[in-house]
Amino acid sequence: MAKIAYILLCHKDPDAIVRQAERLTAAGDYVTIHFDARADATDFRQIRTALSDNANVVLASKRVKCGWGEWSLVQATLHAVEAALEAFPRATHFYMLSGDCMPIKTAEHTHRFLDDNDADFIESFDYFESDWIKTGMKKERLIYRHYFNERKNKRLFYAAMGLQRRLKLDRKLPEDLQIRIGSQWWCLRRSTVEKTLRFAKRRRDVMRFFASTWIPDETFFQTVVPHLVPEGEIRSRTLTFLMFTDYGMPVTFYNDHYDMLISQDYLFARKISPEAQDLKRRLGLLYAASDVSFQISGEGPELFKFLTGRGRIGRRFASRFWETESTLGRERELLVIVCKKWHVAKRVLERIRQTTNVPAVEYIFNEESAVLPDLGGIQTSLEKRTRHRRALMRMLFDYYETDRMMVCMDPSNIELLEDFAADRSVTRMLEIDCTFTDDYLIGHAMRVGLAGEQTSAETFKRLLPTIRNDIIFESDRIRDAEFKNHHRFRETADLEKNAEALARFLSISQDAAREIADSPHLFAD
């Protein structure tokens, strides 16, 4: 009978990890956990203590700091697989999972399925001929060397790639391998895993190549396994059910998706909403049940396309991703810096980012040229960003793998501010009050096209009071809205008052806030 070693890569929510490990091992299977070395050490100790008496759980002793799109994810997987091979000699299969996966079949059904299908389950499509990559970079992932993380060092990432392109430093692919691509959620037999690890030790050239490719967790195993295993023993599919929106982001499942999920021809599903507690409870009970028969309909992807194509608003099977009223996430916190002087807000944002390491984006609803990651097209215009504002922010939270994020907005964006403030997430606002000299207002009028080089002094004399009154009106509207968690950071205020506002806005100490507020030239024009 199949004995599964689940390879669990995770970086947060220790309580959920412990519950998942206990659920999977209760059926007689094994769990190997790689907990991101970048994550909270207290969380890791909590996991280790809670599972210390479970003989079917092992923690990868070699932990690496993981980053999305980096080789570190593959290296973490290899460390976890090595630990599983050594700790669980009776394991016949190795199944990759993430912290937000849940079983959608019974353990009994899962074991019987693997017993009946002597094969490796891993998506493996020709990298260049298939349409697996819908948008964004394709050959550039491979032919250039990527030493910077696109999410953390966007400018360096694209600058380095641009330099290689200009200098024609594109490299050759390994000659004896056909590069293939697919989902990172695979299930491999023990013999295949052992062959893969031997290959990794023998072919250091291949390891060096993939170590500097972009998003190698979608190409490394998918390329190496077909090189080692006969084609007839590979099923080019994943056993984990997941769907993607038109913008390439995974669809999240909620409480009312239970019936749809268990009718899919898969063993697990990703990704389950952290808020879907009832769905998690029901699926957990299902996994432990016996003598359950499943009516496989497999209608999930087509039903999703049907409903989103009509823009359906509702509950059952609806895609919360596209609903205007969809929440950013009850556990998430959006920090909004509101300021008419964009350069001042950007300086404050950068100082906060340096001090707190909170991911941040600038005036994405005001500047067409604002730097954003490739999100499948939703980021390409101000109109799209504004129309799908909650969808955009959800994607950015997911992209940066965070529950706290900062964004800059112009005071004129009152409707956006009201929309985000009405969300179930926590929205905090820091309004930066600046002084506006006549010279600044003249420059502003010219920047926005209200005046030009030939505009007369008499015209400016009439125009400036109107612009000044507009700025005051926008600020008054924000205060009249009486937003919860609204704080003011004023150019004319003393250091202690500004530090106090920053401390409340960011939930940081007064000393850390004072360090930010005391930065030189914050308000300089």
Side-chain angles (χ1 to χ4, degrees):
M1 182 178 178
K3 298 279 285 186
I4 307 167
Y6 291 102
I7 307 301
L8 180 58
L9 300 189
C10 46
H11 65 282
K12 61 179 180 179
D13 200 350
D15 291 330
I17 294 167
V18 170
R19 286 194 299 271
Q20 188 174 36
E22 291 175 340
R23 179 188 308 117
L24 297 173
T25 56
D29 290 312
Y30 311 108
V31 172
T32 299
I33 299 171
H34 179 280
F35 195 69
D36 193 342
R38 204 185 302 274
D40 194 322
T42 304
D43 289 347
F44 180 67
R45 286 194 295 271
Q46 178 183 339
I47 295 169
R48 185 172 56 192
T49 301
L51 297 172
S52 60
D53 294 332
N54 192 329
N56 283 12
V57 175
V58 65
L59 306 183
S61 58
K62 296 179 181 178
R63 295 169 58 209
V64 297
K65 295 180 178 180
C66 297
W68 188 91
E70 296 178 4
W71 171 253
S72 55
L73 288 175
V74 179
Q75 188 62 67
T77 304
L78 292 171
H79 287 331
V81 167
E82 288 175 344
L85 278 172
E86 181 179 352
F88 309 125
R90 295 179 61 201
T92 61
H93 293 77
F94 296 75
Y95 195 129
M96 275 285 294
L97 288 178
S98 72
D100 52 16
C101 292
M102 284 291 292
I104 56 175
K105 297 291 185 293
T106 62
E108 183 180 73
H109 177 99
T110 298
H111 293 141
R112 186 167 57 246
F113 178 91
L114 294 177
D115 285 337
D116 294 342
N117 294 272
D118 185 18
D120 296 306
F121 290 85
I122 180 170
E123 282 190 347
S124 182
F125 304 104
D126 186 278
Y127 188 92
F128 296 100
E129 298 299 325
S130 70
D131 62 348
W132 202 87
I133 298 177
K134 302 295 185 184
T135 61
M137 295 186 298
K138 192 166 186 176
K139 68 177 182 179
E140 292 86 356
R141 290 192 191 185
L142 304 176
I143 65 173
Y144 298 124
R145 298 162 182 83
H146 300 282
Y147 300 114
F148 301 101
N149 189 294
E150 195 263 354
R151 292 187 173 185
K152 299 174 184 175
N153 298 291
K154 185 175 300 298
R155 289 182 174 86
L156 288 175
F157 179 90
Y158 287 106
M161 189 168 65
L163 179 63
Q164 292 178 75
R165 183 183 291 115
R166 288 192 299 274
L167 298 178
K168 298 181 180 181
L169 296 178
D170 45 321
R171 58 179 172 175
K172 293 182 179 179
L173 311 184
E175 293 183 357
D176 60 335
L177 291 181
Q178 179 191 19
I179 305 299
R180 303 180 74 85
I181 190 169
S183 168
Q184 63 268 54
W185 311 113
W186 41 254
C187 178
L188 302 177
R189 296 168 297 175
R190 186 181 191 93
S191 60
T192 302
V193 168
E194 290 172 339
K195 290 176 184 177
T196 302
L197 290 183
R198 287 198 295 269
F199 177 91
K201 292 178 181 178
R202 185 176 72 251
R203 292 295 301 272
R204 307 311 299 177
D205 58 321
V206 174
M207 302 295 280
R208 284 193 297 272
F209 170 78
F210 279 105
S212 57
T213 59
W214 183 233
I215 320 183
D217 55 325
E218 294 178 352
T219 54
F220 176 74
F221 289 98
Q222 296 77 0
T223 297
V224 172
V225 169
H227 181 75
L228 303 173
V229 178
E231 183 178 352
E233 297 180 20
I234 297 175
R235 306 291 181 266
S236 188
R237 57 160 294 191
T238 176
L239 296 178
T240 299
F241 178 61
L242 65 164
M243 296 190 298
F244 291 90
T245 67
D246 290 341
Y247 287 155
M249 297 301 290
V251 173
T252 301
F253 299 114
Y254 295 84
N255 287 334
D256 54 350
H257 287 114
Y258 177 83
D259 292 331
M260 185 269 284
L261 288 175
I262 67 172
S263 67
Q264 305 308 309
D265 187 19
Y266 295 86
L267 305 180
F268 281 75
R270 181 181 186 272
K271 69 191 226 173
I272 309 298
S273 169
E275 300 172 19
Q277 294 301 318
D278 187 58
L279 176 60
K280 290 183 177 182
R281 179 188 63 81
R282 295 178 71 186
L283 291 176
L285 291 173
L286 174 69
Y287 189 69
S290 58
D291 298 323
V292 179
S293 59
F294 296 93
Q295 299 297 318
I296 305 299
S297 61
E299 85 293 346
E302 290 304 317
L303 183 58
F304 175 74
K305 291 178 185 177
F306 172 80
L307 294 177
T308 54
R310 282 164 170 71
R312 178 183 185 276
I313 303 298
R315 286 188 55 78
R316 187 168 179 78
F317 304 140
S319 169
R320 276 65 173 177
F321 180 85
W322 278 115
E323 292 175 9
T324 304
E325 293 78 19
S326 64
T327 180
L328 302 186
R330 192 184 297 275
E331 305 301 324
R332 285 172 168 169
E333 188 175 45
L334 181 64
L335 306 173
V336 185
I337 297 177
V338 184
C339 185
K340 198 68 180 178
K341 288 187 176 181
W342 295 2
H343 60 284
V344 173
K346 291 177 182 180
R347 280 195 206 112
V348 173
L349 177 141
E350 185 57 34
R351 284 294 294 119
I352 292 174
R353 179 161 47 189
Q354 292 170 0
T355 303
T356 66
N357 206 31
V358 174
V361 289
E362 296 179 349
Y363 283 89
I364 59 175
F365 298 108
N366 303 100
E367 289 184 302
E368 193 85 52
S369 60
V371 177
L372 282 169
D374 184 350
L375 301 174
I378 195 173
Q379 83 287 351
T380 54
S381 69
L382 287 176
E383 189 273 333
K384 283 186 178 181
R385 297 177 205 168
T386 303
R387 176 157 46 97
H388 301 303
R389 48 191 173 270
R390 291 198 185 184
L392 175 68
M393 297 310 296
R394 282 192 72 113
M395 293 170 78
L396 287 170
F397 273 110
D398 290 340
Y399 179 85
Y400 289 111
E401 296 181 336
T402 184
D403 290 328
R404 294 188 89 205
M405 189 167 63
M406 284 186 296
V407 62
C408 294
M409 291 192 197
D410 190 272
S412 63
N413 297 135
I414 186 67
E415 291 183 0
L416 291 179
L417 295 173
E418 290 173 337
D419 187 41
F420 287 124
D423 189 70
R424 281 185 289 172
S425 61
V426 176
T427 300
R428 300 183 186 276
M429 298 181 197
L430 181 70
E431 182 184 4
I432 302 180
D433 289 342
C434 302
T435 58
F436 296 92
T437 65
D438 285 351
D439 286 343
Y440 176 84
L441 293 179
I442 289 172
H444 174 75
M446 297 177 71
R447 284 190 294 273
V448 300
L450 294 175
E453 295 292 342
Q454 306 304 318
T455 301
S456 66
E458 186 64 28
T459 300
F460 275 123
K461 186 177 180 180
R462 295 195 303 270
L463 184 60
L464 294 190
T466 302
I467 297 175
R468 196 183 301 276
N469 287 335
D470 281 347
I471 294 173
I472 295 172
F473 172 73
E474 290 173 354
S475 182
D476 284 343
R477 279 200 305 175
I478 291 174
R479 285 167 218 169
D480 290 342
E482 297 183 345
F483 291 120
K484 187 179 179 181
N485 301 318
H486 173 217
H487 311 285
R488 296 178 67 190
F489 186 86
R490 307 175 64 187
E491 184 173 0
T492 56
D494 61 37
L495 175 62
E496 290 305 315
K497 286 186 177 180
N498 279 342
E500 183 180 344
L502 272 174
R504 292 199 305 269
F505 172 63
L506 296 169
S507 301
I508 60 176
S509 68
Q510 186 79 4
D511 289 341
R514 188 182 298 108
E515 182 182 346
I516 297 171
D518 199 28
S519 301
H521 314 303
L522 278 185
F523 292 95
D525 290 332

Coordinates of all heavy atoms in Angstrom, one line a residue, residues 1 7-8 99 105 135 147 178 190 227 235 247 280 309 427 456:
M1 N 0.8 -1.2 0.0 CA 0.0 0.0 0.0 C 0.9 1.2 0.0 O 1.9 1.3 0.6 CB -0.9 0.0 1.2 CG -1.8 1.2 1.3 SD -2.9 1.1 2.7 CE -3.8 2.6 2.6
I7 N 5.8 16.7 1.4 CA 6.9 17.7 1.4 C 6.2 19.1 1.6 O 5.6 19.6 0.6 CB 7.8 17.7 0.2 CG1 8.3 16.3 -0.1 CG2 8.9 18.7 0.4 CD1 9.1 15.7 1.1
L8 N 6.3 19.6 2.8 CA 5.5 20.8 3.1 C 6.5 22.0 3.2 O 7.3 22.1 4.1 CB 4.7 20.6 4.4 CG 3.9 21.8 4.9 CD1 2.8 22.2 3.9 CD2 3.2 21.4 6.2
G99 N 1.3 25.4 2.5 CA 0.5 25.6 3.7 C -0.9 25.9 3.5 O -1.7 25.7 4.4
K105 N -10.1 14.6 -1.0 CA -10.5 13.2 -1.1 C -10.1 12.5 0.3 O -9.3 13.1 1.1 CB -9.8 12.4 -2.2 CG -10.1 12.9 -3.6 CD -11.6 12.6 -4.0 CE -11.9 13.0 -5.4 NZ -11.8 14.5 -5.6
T135 N 1.7 35.1 -20.0 CA 2.2 36.5 -20.1 C 3.6 36.6 -19.5 O 4.1 35.8 -18.8 CB 1.3 37.5 -19.4 OG1 1.3 37.2 -18.0 CG2 -0.2 37.4 -19.9
Y147 N 20.4 37.2 -10.7 CA 21.0 37.2 -9.4 C 20.2 38.1 -8.4 O 20.5 38.1 -7.2 CB 22.4 37.7 -9.5 CG 23.3 36.8 -10.3 CD1 23.9 37.3 -11.5 CD2 23.5 35.4 -10.0 CE1 24.6 36.4 -12.3 CE2 24.3 34.6 -10.8 CZ 24.9 35.1 -11.9 OH 25.6 34.3 -12.7
Q178 N 16.1 18.7 -22.7 CA 15.0 19.5 -23.2 C 14.3 20.2 -22.1 O 13.7 19.6 -21.2 CB 14.0 18.6 -24.0 CG 12.8 19.4 -24.6 CD 11.7 18.5 -25.0 OE1 11.6 17.4 -24.6 NE2 10.9 19.0 -25.9
R190 N 9.3 7.0 -5.1 CA 10.6 7.0 -4.3 C 11.8 6.8 -5.3 O 12.8 7.6 -5.2 CB 10.6 5.9 -3.3 CG 11.8 6.0 -2.4 CD 11.9 4.9 -1.3 NE 12.9 5.2 -0.4 CZ 12.8 5.8 0.8 NH1 11.6 6.2 1.1 NH2 13.8 6.0 1.6
H227 N 14.0 13.4 -18.1 CA 15.3 12.9 -18.5 C 15.7 11.6 -17.8 O 16.6 10.9 -18.4 CB 16.3 14.0 -18.1 CG 17.8 13.8 -18.5 ND1 18.2 13.8 -19.8 CD2 18.8 13.4 -17.8 CE1 19.5 13.5 -19.8 NE2 19.9 13.2 -18.6
R235 N 2.8 10.9 -15.9 CA 1.5 11.6 -16.2 C 1.7 13.1 -16.1 O 2.0 13.6 -15.0 CB 0.4 11.1 -15.2 CG 0.3 9.6 -15.1 CD -0.3 9.0 -16.4 NE -0.4 7.5 -16.2 CZ 0.5 6.6 -16.5 NH1 1.6 7.0 -17.1 NH2 0.3 5.3 -16.3
Y247 N -5.6 36.8 -15.3 CA -4.4 37.6 -15.0 C -3.3 36.7 -14.3 O -2.3 37.2 -13.8 CB -4.7 38.8 -14.1 CG -5.4 39.9 -14.8 CD1 -6.2 40.7 -14.1 CD2 -5.3 40.0 -16.1 CE1 -6.9 41.8 -14.7 CE2 -5.9 41.1 -16.8 CZ -6.7 41.9 -16.1 OH -7.4 43.0 -16.7
K280 N -12.3 24.2 5.7 CA -11.1 23.5 6.2 C -11.6 22.4 7.2 O -11.1 21.3 7.1 CB -10.2 24.4 6.9 CG -9.4 25.4 6.0 CD -8.4 26.2 6.8 CE -7.6 27.1 5.8 NZ -6.6 27.9 6.6
G309 N -17.2 34.9 -16.8 CA -17.5 35.5 -18.1 C -18.7 36.4 -18.1 O -18.9 37.3 -18.9
T427 N -7.6 49.4 7.2 CA -7.0 50.4 6.4 C -6.6 51.6 7.3 O -7.4 52.1 8.1 CB -8.0 51.0 5.3 OG1 -8.4 49.9 4.5 CG2 -7.4 52.1 4.5
S456 N 0.7 84.6 -18.3 CA 1.1 85.9 -17.8 C 0.9 85.9 -16.2 O 0.3 85.1 -15.6 CB 0.1 87.0 -18.3 OG -1.2 86.7 -17.9

